[in-house]
Amino acid sequence: MGVLVGKSAPDFTAAAVLGNGEIVEDFNLHSAIKGKKAVIFFYPLDFTFVCPSELIAFDHRVEEFKKRNVEVIGVSIDSQFTHNAWRNTPVDEGGIGQVKYTLAADVKHEICKAYDVESEGGVAFRGSFLIDEDGVVRHQVVNDLPLGRNVDEMLRMVDALAFHQDHGEVCPAGWQQGDKGMDASPEGVAKYLGENSGKL
C-alpha cells in the first residue's frame, strides 16, 4: 500500500464532468490519457475551503499542462452533479467557475481506495500523481487535509520527467527547466557538485 511510484496507475471508469462542461457516465482513465502524461489529483470535497483554491490554481495553469501534452483530472467523492453545480457557482461565491479539465465522481470511494488516499473520515487526502505515457506513476505526493498543494511543483515534476526522458540525465535537487542535469555516474555526480554545490 501507499507508494504507487513505479507501478501502473489504477484504471477506473466513472461519471465525470469534462472540461467542456459535458457530463458523461463512463469517463475512462486509460482511454483519456493514452499516449499522454497525466496528473490525477484528489481533493476532499466540493464546496469546501482549501479545495477551491487548488482547483482554481490547476485551472490557471491548465494551458501550461496542455502545452506539455499532460491531461489533468481532479477526483473527489462528490457526484458529477455536485461537480457541475460547483463549476456553475461563481468564484466570488465559493465556486470554481468553468475549470477546463475533467472532474471525476468517486461516489463509491473506489478510486480513492485504489490510489490509497482515503482518509479515516471517508474523504480523500490531497493526493497528486504524475503518470507517464506508459501509464506508470512516476511521482506522487499526499498532503493532509489542511495543507494545500503547490501546483507549480507538479509542473516542475512534469518538466523534470520530460528532461530525463529526453536527455537520459537525472535531475538534482531544485532542478528547474533550463538547468543542467547530472549524469548518473560517480563522475557525473562529482562534476555536477564541483560546479553547482554552492547553489544547492
Side-chain angles (χ1 to χ4, degrees):
M1 130 49 226
V3 178
L4 290 179
V5 172
K7 300 175 183 174
S8 293
D11 194 18
F12 61 84
T13 299
V17 182
L18 305 182
N20 64 4
E22 181 184 359
I23 297 175
V24 298
E25 297 299 320
D26 57 354
F27 173 83
N28 177 258
L29 175 67
H30 284 181
S31 296
I33 70 174
K34 187 174 182 180
K36 300 180 181 180
K37 292 182 177 72
V39 170
I40 299 178
F41 72 94
F42 292 82
Y43 63 95
L45 287 170
D46 297 348
F47 292 101
T48 52
F49 317 112
V50 176
C51 297
S53 70
E54 293 185 315
L55 275 81
I56 291 167
F58 269 108
D59 192 55
H60 285 173
R61 292 157 181 80
V62 75
E63 294 306 320
E64 291 300 317
F65 284 107
K66 286 181 179 177
K67 279 183 200 172
R68 294 159 170 83
N69 199 30
V70 177
E71 196 74 25
V72 175
I73 300 152
V75 183
S76 82
I77 61 171
D78 298 281
S79 74
Q80 65 273 35
F81 306 111
T82 306
H83 288 337
N84 191 51
W86 204 25
R87 288 180 85 255
N88 288 317
T89 301
V91 169
D92 61 2
E93 295 177 18
I96 55 172
Q98 304 291 308
V99 297
K100 297 178 288 293
Y101 52 83
T102 296
L103 296 177
D106 185 22
V107 292
K108 295 181 180 176
H109 300 219
E110 293 172 346
I111 307 170
C112 61
K113 286 177 181 173
Y115 283 79
D116 202 16
V117 294
E118 187 180 41
S119 71
E120 287 185 10
V123 300
F125 288 119
R126 301 182 192 284
S128 306
F129 299 83
L130 171 58
I131 301 166
D132 70 13
E133 295 86 345
D134 296 319
V136 175
V137 177
R138 303 297 294 269
H139 166 72
Q140 77 178 68
V141 62
V142 181
N143 292 2
D144 200 357
L145 302 179
L147 307 175
R149 77 198 90 205
N150 184 332
V151 179
D152 291 324
E153 173 64 6
M154 183 56 82
L155 270 173
R156 188 182 79 86
M157 286 288 101
V158 169
D159 290 338
L161 176 56
F163 178 87
H164 171 67
Q165 290 171 324
D166 292 344
H167 301 283
E169 295 182 322
V170 294
C171 299
W175 183 93
Q176 298 280 349
Q177 193 171 37
D179 289 352
K180 291 182 179 179
M182 178 194 299
D183 183 64
S185 68
E187 296 79 15
V189 173
K191 182 175 187 296
Y192 180 86
L193 292 178
E195 296 172 356
N196 297 284
S197 63
K199 303 173 192 173
L200 297 175

